[in-house]
């Protein structure tokens, strides 16, 4: 599409999309775009203002005040800026995960963020991860992958990550959050999470990180043009 090559990776929360996508982007020379981080930034803004994240009118009313930008640090990590403030750490709090899922079901928010994502893909070879990249944002993507794992396997992994970061939580509450978000993400009216018909399915329930990574690399190698993405 438009001289650039796009890989879309969709799937539920905690399937390891961001870790695997980041590695694959570095391996194959793509710009990694974590679109969940953009929804999280809107969720954070609404949460900070004490707005009900389900209220389309209230959330819609603040969108015009939000200057949301993506940047990359020297290590190539994506950073999120909200009105000039680096909110990359703040958007990872568990309560912001819920707000992000809530605001992401609002059509006003999805429309607001659509062009930002498409513009990035027009200007770069992207490996973009999210929920609706293959179905809505980049339906012409050259390669679509649906990355998933059982809810229990995902909760185990997420629990380890959170505990390592010093967040106090337990398996049941992590599993509850994952199930809540799975339900919302797959049942919302607009752009629900689903596997695109032409997406390759990768289920990592029984795979560790290295095995998942190899499986993803194998899929990309099999589909990439031999000379790699166009510059
Ligand atoms: O991938 P994540 O957990 O950081 O995403 C946060 C929320 O944003 C998630 O609950 C669903 C939503 N989201 C979305 O609706 N569409 C996307 N392309 C990416 C994320």
């Amino acid at each position: 599409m438009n001289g650039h090559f796009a890989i879309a990776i969709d799937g539920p929360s905690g399937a390891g999309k961001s870790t695997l996508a980041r590695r694959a982007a570095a391996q194959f020379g793509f710009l990694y775009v974590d679109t969940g981080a953009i929804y999280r930034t809107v969720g954070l803004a609404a949460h900070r203002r004490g707005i009900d994240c389900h209220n389309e009118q209230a959330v819609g009313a603040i969108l015009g005040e939000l200057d949301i930008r993506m940047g990359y640090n020297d290590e190539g990590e994506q950073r999120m800026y909200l009105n000039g403030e680096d909110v990359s750490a703040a958007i990872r709090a568990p309560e912001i995960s819920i707000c992000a899922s809530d605001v992401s079901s609002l059509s006003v928010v999805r429309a607001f963020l659509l062009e930002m994502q498409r513009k990035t893909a027009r200007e770069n070879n992207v490996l973009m991860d999210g929920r609706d990249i293959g179905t809505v944002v980049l339906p012409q993507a050259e390669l679509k992958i649906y990355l998933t794992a059982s809810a229990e396997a995902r909760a185990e992994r997420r629990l380890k990550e959170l505990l390592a970061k010093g967040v106090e939580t337990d398996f049941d509450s992590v599993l509850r959050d994952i199930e809540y978000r799975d339900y919302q993400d797959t049942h919302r009216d607009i752009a629900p999470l689903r596997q695109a018909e032409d997406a390759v399915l990768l289920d990592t329930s029984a795979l560790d990180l290295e095995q998942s990574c190899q499986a993803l690399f194998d899929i990309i190698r099999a589909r990439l043009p031999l000379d790699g993405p166009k510059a």
Side-chain angles (χ1 to χ4, degrees):
M1 79 200 262
N2 62 58
H4 286 287
F5 199 96
I7 300 178
I9 302 189
D10 291 301
S13 306
K17 285 194 307 291
S18 52
T19 307
L20 294 173
R22 194 177 300 119
R23 285 211 198 173
Q27 172 78 18
F28 296 100
F30 285 73
L31 181 72
Y32 169 54
V33 183
D34 168 7
T35 63
I38 315 176
Y39 286 92
R40 285 171 178 271
T41 304
V42 176
L44 176 72
H47 187 260
R48 281 182 173 177
R49 287 167 167 78
I51 289 170
D52 171 7
C53 291
H54 294 281
N55 185 329
E56 177 124 39
Q57 232 187 342
V59 175
I62 65 161
L63 293 179
E65 299 163 19
L66 307 184
D67 177 19
I68 296 177
R69 287 172 202 257
M70 278 185 298
Y72 292 85
N73 67 12
D74 293 344
E75 282 79 48
E77 286 167 2
Q78 179 178 323
R79 312 296 295 176
M80 290 307 306
Y81 298 91
L82 174 60
N83 296 332
E85 175 192 349
D86 184 340
V87 293
S88 311
I91 59 173
R92 298 293 156 193
E95 67 273 20
I96 303 306
S97 302
I98 300 292
C99 294
S101 181
D102 293 343
V103 298
S104 74
S105 65
L106 306 176
S107 58
V108 68
V109 172
R110 303 205 74 84
F112 178 71
L113 298 181
L114 188 60
E115 179 49 25
M116 180 177 178
Q117 298 168 79
R118 286 188 174 156
K119 182 170 184 285
T120 308
R122 277 197 300 274
E123 296 171 352
N124 303 277
N125 292 314
V126 291
L127 192 155
M128 196 173 270
D129 90 31
R131 303 294 187 287
D132 62 338
I133 308 306
T135 52
V136 176
V137 179
L138 305 176
Q140 311 300 333
E142 281 76 8
L143 172 57
K144 300 179 188 178
I145 296 165
Y146 191 79
L147 186 70
T148 191
S150 69
E152 288 73 17
R154 289 182 282 130
E156 282 287 356
R157 296 174 191 164
R158 185 53 60 96
L159 178 66
K160 272 194 205 150
E161 264 172 35
L162 291 171
L163 293 178
K165 280 187 200 154
V167 178
E168 273 185 41
T169 185
D170 56 61
F171 178 79
D172 286 345
S173 65
V174 175
L175 181 62
R176 255 199 320 275
D177 277 4
I178 282 192
E179 287 174 341
Y180 174 89
R181 292 204 282 154
D182 280 358
Y183 186 86
Q184 283 216 134
D185 295 348
T186 53
H187 286 77
R188 66 180 177 225
D189 292 337
I190 325 132
L193 170 64
R194 65 176 177 81
Q195 183 179 343
E197 275 169 25
D198 49 352
V200 180
L201 176 67
L202 175 54
D203 185 325
T204 66
S205 304
L207 305 181
D208 67 19
L209 184 62
E210 287 312 317
Q211 292 167 328
S212 305
C213 211
Q214 279 316 312
L216 177 60
F217 285 12
D218 287 348
I219 294 170
I220 296 175
R221 274 194 202 103
R223 297 292 199 91
L224 263 186
L226 279 179
D227 54 352
K230 290 166 231 145

